Amino acid sequence: MSLEIFGFRALWSPYFFLFVLLILTGYYMITIKYRGKFKNSEPLTRRQGVYFTVAMIVLYVIKGSPVDLMGHLMFYAHMIQMAILYLVVPPLVVMGVPQWLWRAVINHKAIKPVFRLFTKPLIAIILFNGVFSIYHIPDVFDVVKTDMMFHTVYTSALFLLAIFMWWPTINELPEMESLDGLKKVGYVFANGVLLTPACALIIFADTPMYNTYSDPNAWAQALQLCVPSATLASLNLSGPEMFNSMSLIHDQQLGGVIMKIIQEIVYGIILAQIFYAWYKKEQEITPSEEETMLNPHLVK
């Protein structure tokens, strides 16, 4: 069946669009019009603006477009959502926010101790991967997917933990750097290892794990998170098999494989950036070193 039967609101989430537009407008107002109100502020660079704007566009595509509705109909679409939402959008946000604005936020007396604690590499990596893995325990998953409050709180907390997880590897504040090049490489590899059990559990399961994709009642309840109840009441739906040609188990396994593939691609890109930055740093020659090379007699 066509997704058009769910209506415009379910397909394009106009309220979420306004929410994202509000964030983007606030970002440019703060970084351009009201920048002078912040200490040591600098002009917004094109790179920063592009990163943040792309992050907001991707966020809307993943959570506000028909992709979000597809995530309730097909498990593999849900896993694409999860991968993009927590592995792609957070690093774009971190790199898109100017350094002076990050300082203004994290140096607030109420935020600074919390931020420093949760961005410690060991704490950040364990919390994100732990909460992400717990989310995919069937009992937890089915509750989060069928309750609006739990869904909002859990996914928002996981997004914040994703920011903390990415921070040690890509933040550009010199005073907040906690890992050098080699340690960053180990950190990224450790992230990949810790995320693997959740993906493996999904990939190698021999039966459908989640009621929200196998039980018609639970599935209908989960749909209420993105489809108006009045629209659902007017439709005669039996279950997700009406929209997916794959069996439930194949859909589930494909979701786990897609999650792992996207993870490897993203981590590969981050590793390439780390190696490139590390190489550039190793190639830099300080003025004193250059003077010594040009004037060997200065060496005692």
Side-chain angles (χ1 to χ4, degrees):
M1 295 184 67
S2 171
L3 298 181
E4 298 294 331
I5 65 171
F6 292 104
F8 177 82
R9 181 178 167 186
L11 288 172
W12 297 106
S13 304
Y15 294 118
F16 189 73
F17 175 79
L18 292 176
F19 171 73
V20 172
L21 185 61
L22 183 62
I23 293 177
L24 196 57
T25 301
Y27 169 82
Y28 280 108
M29 292 287 284
I30 292 172
T31 56
I32 297 177
K33 185 174 182 179
Y34 297 110
R35 176 173 57 85
K37 297 181 180 294
F38 293 86
K39 184 179 179 180
N40 299 322
S41 62
E42 298 176 353
L44 182 70
T45 67
R46 178 178 297 180
R47 171 179 172 269
Q48 292 165 343
V50 168
Y51 276 144
F52 196 86
T53 302
V54 170
M56 293 301 102
I57 292 174
V58 174
L59 178 62
Y60 175 71
V61 170
I62 288 298
K63 292 295 293 180
S65 76
V67 174
D68 185 49
L69 177 57
M70 289 176 62
H72 290 274
L73 304 176
M74 306 155 194
F75 184 78
Y76 79 84
H78 164 76
M79 293 305 281
I80 292 174
Q81 272 188 296
M82 296 290 288
I84 301 299
L85 186 58
Y86 301 120
L87 301 182
V88 176
V89 176
L92 290 174
V93 170
V94 172
M95 294 185 292
V97 174
Q99 294 182 28
W100 57 266
L101 184 53
W102 273 121
R103 289 190 179 98
V105 173
I106 65 182
N107 286 333
H108 189 280
K109 63 180 181 180
I111 296 176
K112 188 173 183 177
V114 176
F115 195 90
R116 286 190 174 273
L117 173 64
F118 284 98
T119 53
K120 290 183 180 297
L122 186 60
I123 294 176
I125 195 174
I126 290 176
L127 278 179
F128 171 75
N129 288 285
V131 174
F132 183 90
S133 297
I134 290 172
Y135 176 87
H136 289 94
I137 295 174
D139 289 341
V140 176
F141 184 94
D142 289 331
V143 170
V144 173
K145 288 285 284 184
T146 56
D147 187 288
M148 179 65 76
M149 184 187 70
F150 282 143
H151 185 268
T152 301
V153 171
Y154 203 107
T155 54
S156 299
L158 191 53
F159 186 85
L160 187 59
L161 291 176
I163 295 284
F164 294 152
M165 182 272 288
W166 281 112
W167 186 265
T169 59
I170 61 175
N171 98 83
E172 298 177 345
L173 300 182
E175 68 273 21
M176 291 290 289
E177 287 188 1
S178 55
L179 299 174
D180 58 22
L182 186 58
K183 290 181 180 178
K184 285 182 179 180
V185 172
Y187 183 84
V188 174
F189 273 110
N191 256 306
V193 171
L194 290 175
L195 201 62
T196 298
C199 294
L201 177 67
I202 294 168
I203 293 171
F204 296 108
D206 53 7
T207 58
M209 297 169 56
Y210 305 112
N211 288 335
T212 45
Y213 291 96
S214 59
D215 179 83
N217 293 326
W219 175 73
Q221 188 176 351
L223 269 181
Q224 294 180 18
L225 271 63
C226 66
V227 181
S229 55
T231 302
L232 277 179
S234 65
L235 301 175
N236 184 22
L237 303 175
S238 61
E241 71 280 353
M242 300 176 67
F243 304 89
N244 194 352
S245 59
M246 288 186 291
S247 66
L248 293 177
I249 188 62
H250 289 158
D251 179 32
Q252 180 176 291
Q253 292 170 342
L254 178 61
V257 170
I258 288 176
M259 179 70 197
K260 191 61 181 174
I261 290 174
I262 294 177
Q263 176 216 330
E264 296 295 337
I265 292 173
V266 173
Y267 287 3
I269 293 173
I270 296 298
L271 282 173
Q273 291 181 339
I274 292 172
F275 278 117
Y276 179 69
W278 192 10
Y279 173 78
K280 283 185 63 178
K281 187 175 181 180
E282 290 295 320
Q283 295 301 310
E284 290 178 355
I285 301 176
T286 64
S288 60
E289 290 173 331
E290 185 175 4
E291 185 178 355
T292 301
M293 293 174 64
L294 295 175
N295 302 280
H297 66 275
L298 295 176
V299 181
K300 294 183 179 180

